[in-house]
Amino acid sequence: MDLPAALAAHRLVAVVRGKDADAALRTVLVLAEEGIELIEVSLSGADALTVIERARSSLGPDLPLGVGTVLTADDARAAHSAGATFAVTPGLGEGVAAARELGMPVLAGVMTPTEVIAAQALDVAALKIFPIAQAGGAAYLKALLGPFPDVPFVPVGGVDEAVARACLAAGATAVGVGSPLVGDAADGGSISALRDRARVFRGLVQEAGP
């Protein structure tokens, strides 16, 4: 898949991390029903590989499906076998190269300019600034865009509605949103509330424009 193009088109990555595998799967499917095209299932959630495998079966072969918290080469291989089509990492570990070798584009976690340069050398598809809220939010993103104006940055970590709006306005290609969007749905919480939040975030990125 062309991950940079998908990020630029949809501008939102939903991050699903749940304590209940069935609830996490239900969350993925509801987000897809609500028109959120880019969904990441974190390997730090319960039985995440099974969630990915079941989600792939339900969503069909063509929709993108991401795997998050990819730390090792084994993580990348297992997620690829389960049906993930792109990988998200918190940093520049061995999972990056392994995912690339498997043909999965990588949204790689960085924080500093040095890490941005190192990630570019690894031929990653886009860069996840993590954790953005704790690092200065949109102001820090804007500072990074100075020396790296053409890099597709995706701020993640503490991204609520206000941070999402500010980062998109500052030049983020997309934003990654976990608990402010997913809430407790992946732990067995309200699906109705999840739908409401999904519509809010969908509206927010649509307002931000391309």
Side-chain angles (χ1 to χ4, degrees):
M1 65 174 291
D2 186 340
L3 183 57
L7 291 168
H10 302 297
R11 312 209 71 188
L12 174 64
V13 181
V15 182
V16 177
R17 178 184 293 105
K19 298 176 183 176
D20 181 314
D22 289 336
L25 173 64
R26 189 161 55 247
T27 298
V28 171
L29 299 182
V30 168
L31 290 170
E33 288 171 9
E34 291 296 331
I36 295 178
E37 300 278 345
L38 297 175
I39 302 169
E40 163 198 339
V41 178
S42 172
L43 289 177
S44 61
D47 207 5
L49 291 172
T50 299
V51 174
I52 292 170
E53 187 173 8
R54 292 172 66 192
R56 171 55 64 212
S57 177
S58 295
L59 295 172
D62 298 325
L63 288 180
L65 181 60
V67 54
T69 322
V70 174
L71 301 176
T72 68
D74 285 344
D75 288 342
R77 295 185 192 106
H80 181 262
S81 295
T85 53
F86 67 96
V88 185
T89 73
L92 303 179
E94 64 179 23
V96 173
R100 292 287 298 115
E101 289 170 4
L102 292 164
M104 287 196 293
V106 178
L107 173 57
V110 299
M111 179 52 68
T112 67
T114 297
E115 290 172 344
V116 172
I117 293 168
Q120 289 179 309
L122 296 173
D123 194 28
V124 300
L127 297 183
K128 161 183 157 180
I129 310 175
F130 173 79
I132 188 63
Q134 294 80 357
Y140 185 69
L141 165 66
K142 194 169 182 179
L144 276 182
L145 282 166
F148 305 108
D150 299 321
V151 170
F153 284 118
V154 182
V156 181
V159 178
D160 57 15
E161 293 175 50
V163 173
R165 284 193 177 92
C167 286
L168 291 169
T173 297
V175 290
V177 186
S179 57
L181 167 56
V182 173
D184 62 355
D187 300 329
S190 170
I191 291 299
S192 175
L194 173 64
R195 290 189 187 277
D196 290 342
R197 292 189 297 269
R199 290 164 188 167
V200 168
F201 275 95
R202 282 266 292 153
L204 183 157
V205 297
Q206 288 169 352
E207 288 169 12

